[in-house]
Amino acid sequence: MNKYFIKAQDFETFVTKLVEAKQVIGPVAKKSRFVFEKLKNSKELRLDYDVTVLPPKKEFFPTCQPIVKFEGDKFEGCVNVEEKILFGVHFYDIKALDMTDLLYNENHRDINYMAHREAATIVGSNVQNIAERAFFGTVGVHVKPKGHDAFLTKIDDGYLFETYTDKGEALVSFGTFTKAKKEHESNALDVNNRVMGKCPEVLDYVGYESVANKVRKAFNNTAFWEDCAKDCFSCGSCNIVCPTCYCFDVQDNWNVDQVSGTRTRKWDGCLTEDFAKISLGFGAQENFREKRGDRFRHRIMRKTTYLNAKLGGPACVGCGRCSMSCTSDIADPVNVINKIMEV
Amino acid sequence: MSKPKVGFFDFASCEGCQIELTNYGDAAFVELLNHIDIVEFREAMTETAEHLTIACIEGSFTREADRGRLENIRERSDIVIAYGACASTAGVNALKNHQKDFRKDVYGEDRNMPHLYSNDRAVPISEVIKVDYNVYGCPMDKYEFLDIVSHLVHGKEPVIPNHPVCIECKHNETICRYFEGDHCLGPVARAGCRAPCPADGIPCEACRGFVDNPNEEAMEKVLIKKGKLPEARAKHKSRIFTAFCRSDA
Ligand code: SF4
Ligand code: SF4
Ligand code: SF4
Ligand code: SF4
Ligand code: SF4
C-alpha cells in the first residue's frame, strides 16, 4: 500500500499511543532471553531482540489452551478472541506464521487459531541483532514473507514503515508519519538485504529440492539417525520452540465436583516418546516411532521434505530456536543437513 | 463406576503427601467426599474394610514386616494407587540403598535396637505388589492425584506424562537453567508438575522420578559440559530423588 517515514524521536510516542489504545504484543526481555508479551509501556519494547524463546504463534494458540468447558452433558467453547497487534515480528516468524495459517486452515479448519489470527494485526520489524544459531540467510530464501499488515525497518535517523493492508494503514494515525523518500526506501532495502548474509550458521546447500532428495534417500540409513539421536532426551523442546510446528494434544480434566471440567489442548511434539503411541483396541498399544532415531528422523523429514509440496519450500525458516533449546545440542538442522549432503 | 470405596495407607514416608491431600481446601474436599467413600484412613478412623475399590498407598517398602500388610491390601483392592515419590519411586528413602553405614549415621548408638530394624534397601510399592497407577512427586501434586482418581471414577484411563519436564518449561516459556549458567535434571525427569522449580529459578531435581527411558549418559554429559559440574558430582547428581530409578540402582 504505502510507505512512510517516522523520525527516531517520534517513535516512542507512536508506540505509547498504540499501547494506550490497543492490546499490543511485542518482544520484551526475560532474564537472558526475549519473549513476546503484552506491552505495558513503550519502554519495554525491545526491537533489538535477537529471537524469542517461543514463536509468536502462541498469541493465536496459547501453549496450554482451555477450549471447552463442560458440565455433565452440556458443553461450551471457552476461547475468547481478542484483537491484538503483534508488533516487531521478524521476517522469518512472519514466514512461519504464513505456513501455520495454511496448515491450520486446511482440512479440519482450526477455528480457534483462525479466529485469533484474523483478529490480529501483524507488524514486522527488521532483524537488528542475529540469534547465535540463526541460518535464515540460507534456508528457503525464495519463500518471501507475506500475510503481515505492515513492516518496520530501522534506518539511520528513524524507521521506514510499510503498510500492506487496511489494518496496517490504520496504525498510521497513531504517529507522526511523513511520506517516505526514495532514500529511506533504498536504505531499508539495504538493511534488510545485508542481514541475510550475516547469519552465524550457513547451510552449505541452498537448493531445497536437492536437500529434500538427499534427505529422503537417507531415510533407511538407520545407523545415521541413531547416531544423530544418541544424546536425545526425547524432550520435544526442538518441536515446541519451532515456529512451524503445529502439533497438540487434547485432554479432559474434571473438577473436584466430578461433573464439570475443562477440555484443554497443549502444544505437543513428535520427539517425545509417547507421541506416536496409539491404541490398537482391546488394551493393546503400539508405538510406530519407538526409537530415538526414528523420532529424530521424523522431525528432520518434516522440516526438509514432507511439507515442501504444500508450502512451496521447506518447513524451516532458519530461526535457530531448536538449536538453542536443545540441551544436548543435537537438534541443529544445519549440522544434520550438511552431514547428509556430504555423504 | 458407582461411588468408589477408597482407603488410604501409609508406609515409610514423611506423610507430607497426606497433608497435600488436605490442601484442596475444606469445601473442595467435602465436595470430593460426595463422589468417593473413604472407608479406611489410619489417621482419622479405626475401621477396616473388607473390600476396597481404590487403595491409595503412601511410602516406600523398607521393612520386611510390612510385606504381609501390603499383600493384604492388594487382595482386598480392585485398584492400587501408589502416591508420592516414596511409594512410586522410593524417592529419598532409596538414598540409603548405596550406603553401607546408614544405620550408624541415622541411629548411632541405638542402631541395634530391634524396633529400628529395616531392610538394606528402600523400594517402591510396585516391587512388592502390583501397582496400577503411580502419582509421582515429592510431595505429589494434589491436582494430579485428583485427576487420576477422577478418571477412574469416570471409568477412563488416566494419562500420566512420559515426557521430560523441559516440555513444561517450554509451555511456560521459562528461561532454561542452562541459559542462566546453572544445571538441571529436567531432561530426564518426568513431567506433570508443570515445571514450577525452573520457573522459580531453581534446577529441577527430578522429584517425580525419571521418564520411562531416561538418557542417563547424555544427562551426565550435559551436567559436565553445560552445567559445569565436576565429573563425580555429575555422576551422582540424580541420586537425590531417583536413586532407585537409576540404571545402577
Ligand atoms: S526447525 Fe529449528 S531453525 Fe527451523 S524453523 Fe524450526 S526451530 Fe527454527
Ligand atoms: S515436526 Fe513433528 S511436532 Fe512438528 S509439526 Fe511435524 S509432526 Fe508435528
Ligand atoms: S531438543 Fe534435543 S534432546 Fe530434546 S528432543 Fe529435540 S533433539 Fe532431542
Ligand atoms: S530448565 Fe531444566 S527442565 Fe527446564 S528446559 Fe531447561 S533443562 Fe529442561
Ligand atoms: S520441576 Fe522437577 S523437582 Fe520441581 S516439582 Fe517438577 S519434577 Fe519435581
Side-chain angles (χ1 to χ4, degrees):
Chain A
M1 279 180 108
N2 295 309
K3 292 180 202 286
Y4 299 94
F5 175 73
I6 183 166
K7 283 196 216 132
Q9 67 259 38
D10 293 334
F11 187 69
E12 205 174 309
T13 320
F14 166 54
V15 178
T16 302
K17 283 200 178 148
L18 265 189
V19 171
E20 277 165 12
K22 308 260 180 192
Q23 173 160 219
V24 185
I25 315 291
V28 302
K30 183 172 183 182
K31 293 188 175 166
S32 55
R33 306 277 316 265
F34 295 95
V35 298
F36 279 105
E37 230 170 65
K38 187 176 163 168
L39 296 181
K40 291 191 283 293
N41 56 57
S42 60
K43 295 244 183 320
E44 280 184 322
L45 179 68
R46 290 288 300 271
L47 290 182
D48 61 340
Y49 78 107
D50 50 3
V51 67
T52 52
V53 178
L54 290 182
K57 177 185 72 186
K58 68 167 187 168
E59 291 302 327
F60 307 142
F61 175 4
T63 54
C64 302
Q65 182 183 38
I67 46 176
V68 174
K69 295 257 183 234
F70 57 83
E71 172 133 26
D73 297 337
K74 290 196 291 288
F75 57 90
E76 205 177 357
C78 61
V79 177
N80 291 323
V81 179
E82 292 171 335
E83 277 187 23
K84 283 177 187 174
I85 300 174
L86 252 72
F87 198 91
V89 184
H90 284 162
F91 80 96
Y92 52 80
D93 276 339
I94 296 177
K95 285 170 51 165
L97 281 175
D98 196 35
M99 294 177 195
T100 47
D101 287 355
L102 184 139
L103 295 163
Y104 283 126
N105 203 11
E106 63 169 10
N107 303 326
H108 301 282
R109 187 171 200 267
D110 192 315
I111 49 168
N112 292 321
Y113 173 93
M114 290 313 292
H116 278 106
R117 176 66 186 88
E118 280 155 13
T121 304
I122 298 180
V123 180
S125 95
N126 70 300
V127 179
Q128 296 181 19
N129 284 301
I130 304 180
E132 59 190 69
R133 307 296 290 271
F135 57 102
F136 51 68
T138 46
V139 68
V141 277
H142 68 288
V143 180
K144 298 296 169 216
K146 62 175 166 53
H148 51 315
D149 302 284
F151 197 89
L152 199 63
T153 305
K154 188 170 192 279
I155 47 179
D156 289 343
D157 40 358
Y159 295 84
L160 178 79
F161 187 64
E162 298 168 81
T163 63
Y164 310 114
T165 64
D166 291 338
K167 281 199 239 171
E169 188 64 29
L171 304 181
V172 173
S173 65
F174 290 88
T176 316
F177 289 90
T178 53
K179 200 170 172 314
K181 298 196 185 108
K182 274 275 161 298
E183 79 211 47
H184 295 140
E185 283 180 46
S186 59
N187 281 351
L189 194 65
D190 194 40
V191 164
N192 285 311
N193 280 341
R194 245 184 302 145
V195 79
M196 297 300 273
K198 285 193 184 156
C199 284
E201 292 197 10
V202 173
L203 264 188
D204 295 339
Y205 306 83
V206 276
Y208 80 97
E209 279 134 331
S210 64
V211 169
N213 283 335
K214 204 84 193 266
V215 173
R216 193 179 271 117
K217 282 211 185 90
F219 187 93
N220 286 320
N221 190 347
T222 316
F224 173 80
W225 298 110
E226 281 304 323
D227 187 54
C228 285
K230 196 169 74 261
D231 287 340
C232 179
F233 293 115
S234 306
C235 74
S237 292
C238 49
N239 299 125
I240 303 286
V241 300
C242 179
T244 73
C245 271
Y246 56 109
C247 287
F248 57 86
D249 185 33
V250 181
Q251 305 226 346
D252 291 348
N253 300 95
W254 284 271
N255 296 332
V256 185
D257 68 14
Q258 299 302 314
V259 180
S260 63
T262 310
R263 173 166 293 180
T264 309
R265 63 171 178 169
K266 292 184 181 176
W267 292 12
D268 198 2
C270 59
L271 266 283
T272 61
E273 185 174 322
D274 288 1
F275 184 89
K277 198 184 254 181
I278 49 164
S279 163
L280 301 177
F282 308 102
Q285 294 179 335
E286 185 178 317
N287 190 338
F288 57 86
R289 280 193 291 274
E290 202 159 26
K291 293 214 269 322
R292 289 185 188 123
D294 299 344
R295 299 191 288 271
F296 190 92
R297 175 182 65 192
H298 184 68
R299 182 177 78 98
I300 297 296
M301 289 284 161
R302 299 272 303 173
K303 298 301 155 191
T304 61
T305 309
Y306 291 164
L307 295 168
N308 291 8
K310 200 176 274 182
L311 300 175
C316 169
V317 294
C319 67
R321 285 186 178 97
C322 54
S323 325
M324 288 173 89
S325 74
C326 178
T327 38
S328 273
D329 197 0
I330 53 168
D332 192 343
V334 174
N335 291 340
V336 182
I337 295 169
N338 283 349
K339 229 190 273 172
I340 292 177
M341 296 306 281
E342 270 165 31
V343 281
Chain B
M1 200 188 271
S2 62
K3 217 168 163 183
K5 292 188 180 2
V6 182
F8 289 88
F9 304 90
D10 48 5
F11 292 81
S13 65
C14 73
E15 301 189 343
C17 291
Q18 276 178 48
I19 293 181
E20 177 71 356
L21 273 179
T22 63
N23 282 347
Y24 292 115
D26 290 351
F29 195 67
V30 170
E31 175 68 53
L32 183 62
L33 293 182
N34 290 332
H35 304 278
I36 61 172
D37 269 333
I38 297 184
V39 291
E40 210 170 318
F41 203 148
R42 185 179 64 91
E43 297 282 350
M45 54 209 278
T46 47
E47 298 89 335
T48 55
E50 235 168 76
H51 168 253
L52 293 159
T53 326
I54 306 174
C56 303
I57 303 180
E58 178 185 17
S60 320
F61 174 74
T62 188
R63 284 188 312 206
E64 205 42 48
D66 288 334
R67 188 179 293 274
R69 204 175 136 222
L70 275 172
E71 281 166 354
N72 173 271
I73 295 169
R74 179 72 261 188
E75 272 164 30
R76 292 190 283 143
S77 311
D78 296 341
I79 298 168
V80 169
I81 297 179
Y83 72 102
C86 299
S88 57
T89 64
V92 286
N93 296 338
L95 271 173
K96 74 171 181 178
N97 296 7
H98 62 280
Q99 293 172 10
K100 282 193 193 69
D101 35 15
F102 72 89
R103 286 191 185 89
K104 199 169 131 222
D105 292 344
V106 177
Y107 300 118
E109 295 289 290
D110 299 330
R111 64 183 176 281
N112 290 323
M113 293 180 77
H115 72 288
L116 294 177
Y117 181 78
S118 71
N119 296 352
D120 290 341
R121 285 159 56 82
V123 299
I125 299 304
S126 58
E127 291 288 298
V128 187
I129 56 170
K130 180 173 170 272
V131 167
D132 301 287
Y133 302 100
N134 286 300
V135 189
Y136 299 100
C138 183
M140 64 140 192
D141 179 311
K142 58 181 181 292
Y143 294 110
E144 187 176 21
F145 178 81
L146 174 69
D147 198 49
I148 291 173
V149 173
S150 301
H151 274 78
L152 297 174
V153 166
H154 288 268
K156 307 267 189 245
E157 190 64 22
V159 181
I160 296 159
N162 178 30
H163 49 253
V165 170
C166 299
I167 215 164
E168 295 184 331
C169 275
K170 296 292 165 304
H171 285 160
N172 301 336
E173 213 167 3
T174 294
I175 310 303
C176 178
R177 295 315 305 154
Y178 286 100
F179 260 97
E180 302 286 305
D182 201 355
H183 65 273
C184 185
L185 288 178
V188 287
R190 185 185 295 275
C193 54
R194 299 177 295 278
C197 303
D200 276 348
I202 54 173
C204 168
E205 299 281 5
C207 82
R208 295 173 52 82
F210 285 160
V211 289
D212 287 351
N213 290 300
N215 197 332
E216 290 174 86
E217 269 172 53
M219 191 70 258
E220 210 175 301
K221 276 196 227 171
V222 170
L223 285 171
I224 294 170
K225 205 171 151 219
K226 281 199 178 167
K228 306 276 186 292
L229 296 194
E231 224 164 283
R233 189 150 172 245
K235 207 174 191 56
H236 297 287
K237 179 70 197 137
S238 68
R239 278 227 162 92
I240 298 187
F241 286 104
T242 52
F244 188 82
C245 310
R246 290 163 51 108
S247 44
D248 62 0

